[in-house]
Amino acid sequence: MERVDAVVVGAGVIGAACAEALSAAGLRVTVLDRGPLASATTASGEGNVLVSDKEPGPELALAQASRRWLPDLLAGLAEELGPRLSEVEWQPKGGLVVATAEESAGPLLEFAAEQRAAGVRADRISPERARELEPLLTDHVTAAVHYPDDAQVQPVLLATTLLAAVEQRGGQLLPGVTATGLRPGELLTDRGPIPCELVVNACGPWAGEFAARCGAPITVLPRRGVVLVTAPLPEVVRHKVYDADYVGAVASGDADLQTSTVVESTPGGTVLIGSSRQRIGFDDSLQVHVLRELARKAIALFPFLHGVPVMRAYGGFRPYTPDHLPVIGPDPRVPGLWHATGHEGAGIGLAAATGRLLAELATGRPPHVDPIPFRVDRPGVAA
């Protein structure tokens, strides 16, 4: 194959964002995936673009940068792609986080105060105001915080739009091609080697497996999540709404099942109900007790959901790291190997800033966020 500047392994939203940013910087880019484009973790996501669920620190800084950058990125792609642009269902609709028990009200408000100190718009509102924003919300709200900057996007359409930009700039998309290893100056695949300067490991939950093939193992583990999808309804949920226990579930490292209530509508009328987290390897079986728990908690938050038919359920694997931070940047153990993985369930919302940061580091430009916390050679990640 013809020599290129960069090969991105993994055509999910993180790989697509890295490829788009690298091609925007003038690099010749090839993207490959062993399956169809954007068909794995990205296709199993809800499309969250959140600042509300992250405590002050490196991940929040990355999320804030991504939230600022994504609308400009989409506007630029609309101008560049024209008729080729997919409608990505961008919805800057805001988020609403509620406590439904007295003991969770204080921690929610304390968390929001810490976020405000870090520059997040987190507006404490009364339970009455929360029900004005969401008329069908439970009456058992003890505290509420409104996050105007939370948003939602259709994840597969976002990824394929980013990949369309790469292709329009002369890049190559190779679905159905498996990367098998790395040698100096070339990526090895089941279709033959691809000469290149750098390889980006954007394999999501499978990033640890690919990194090991390249001689630079990293600790990235699959964490399974499940979502329920209702039959289409009139617009009944106006924001992304979740119970205050969601933040704790996101930050937990527990391998056992954790569920927390997340409810939101889509432009197609369906209501998405999550969320669950389990570290059970790559077991992709749907467990009925998990679905029941999601439904029970969703009805407690929005009683109108009782009796609403569930059309389907889907699950996927999120790339988990022990310290809950992504891995972004070069691997000092193997020249030419770069990583962009470990975003767990936040990959959709962190994608724009991740791609931009990786491209900045790869081209020697000043990084827009501090890259040090995301280095691969940090404790617990470089195996």
Side-chain angles (χ1 to χ4, degrees):
M1 293 190 183
E2 182 182 354
R3 187 172 192 83
V4 295
D5 296 312
V7 179
V8 177
V9 182
V13 72
I14 294 295
C18 291
E20 189 283 328
L22 290 168
S23 67
L27 276 65
R28 294 167 297 165
V29 180
T30 292
V31 183
L32 61 85
D33 197 295
R34 63 185 178 184
L37 304 177
S39 64
T41 297
T42 294
S44 301
E46 294 175 75
N48 298 332
V49 181
L50 304 183
V51 294
S52 58
D53 62 340
K54 297 167 182 67
E55 64 183 19
E59 188 183 29
L60 177 59
L62 193 67
Q64 290 170 300
S66 205
R67 176 62 181 86
R68 288 192 298 268
W69 172 237
L70 185 54
D72 291 339
L73 175 60
L74 293 175
L77 292 176
E79 184 174 340
E80 180 180 355
L81 293 175
R84 292 194 63 187
L85 178 73
S86 297
E87 170 53 59
V88 301
E89 298 180 7
W90 170 245
Q91 294 180 282
K93 58 186 178 182
L96 182 64
V97 186
V98 299
T100 53
E102 290 296 340
E103 59 269 22
S104 56
L108 169 61
L109 298 177
E110 291 170 10
F111 184 79
E114 293 170 358
Q115 289 183 304
R116 281 195 294 273
V120 175
R121 290 200 293 168
D123 303 325
R124 178 178 178 177
I125 60 175
S126 68
E128 293 74 22
R129 175 57 180 156
R131 283 190 289 274
E132 288 177 5
L133 293 175
E134 291 291 344
L136 299 178
L137 190 64
T138 177
D139 292 333
H140 302 295
V141 173
T142 58
V145 180
H146 179 228
Y147 289 88
D149 293 325
D150 277 359
Q152 185 178 1
V153 69
Q154 212 293 334
V156 172
L157 295 178
L158 175 60
T160 53
T161 296
L162 294 166
L163 293 172
V166 174
E167 189 173 44
Q168 180 146 310
R169 297 167 189 158
Q172 190 173 21
L173 308 180
L174 300 176
V177 176
T178 300
T180 58
L182 185 62
R183 286 198 301 239
E186 60 182 10
L187 174 70
L188 305 179
T189 81
D190 61 353
R191 304 286 181 87
I194 303 177
C196 58
E197 298 297 323
L198 63 91
V199 170
V200 179
N201 173 15
C203 297
W206 299 272
E209 174 188 328
F210 176 66
R213 290 182 191 174
C214 297
I218 57 176
T219 304
V220 177
L221 305 173
R223 201 178 190 193
R224 181 156 171 76
V226 178
V227 176
L228 301 178
V229 185
T230 74
L233 301 168
E235 185 182 33
V236 287
V237 182
R238 302 170 180 174
H239 304 77
K240 180 183 180 65
V241 184
Y242 62 85
D243 203 323
D245 62 357
Y246 177 79
V247 172
V250 169
S252 171
D254 198 331
D256 294 335
L257 173 66
Q258 298 176 72
T259 60
S260 51
T261 314
V262 184
V263 180
E264 61 192 319
S265 294
T266 70
T270 58
V271 175
L272 304 182
I273 298 171
S275 68
S276 69
R277 283 171 167 76
Q278 270 179 303
R279 292 219 315 274
I280 51 174
F282 285 103
D283 180 359
D284 63 356
S285 58
L286 285 176
Q287 301 173 351
V288 174
H289 73 281
V290 177
L291 306 183
R292 285 176 176 160
E293 183 71 0
L294 293 179
R296 182 187 68 80
K297 288 189 171 182
I299 291 169
L301 194 63
F302 281 101
F304 83 90
L305 288 170
H306 187 274
V308 171
V310 171
M311 184 170 61
R312 66 186 179 97
Y314 64 89
F317 301 104
R318 304 159 177 149
Y320 165 90
T321 61
D323 61 3
H324 301 283
L325 289 178
V327 184
I328 307 169
D331 195 311
R333 298 168 294 178
V334 177
L337 177 63
W338 290 61
H339 301 285
T341 185
H343 299 73
E344 204 187 315
I348 309 301
L350 299 178
T354 294
R356 185 176 178 182
L357 176 60
L358 185 133
E360 288 164 346
L361 296 173
T363 57
R365 291 178 291 158
H368 72 287
V369 295
D370 182 4
I372 298 300
F374 309 114
R375 289 174 59 97
V376 66
D377 54 347
R378 63 184 195 256
V381 174

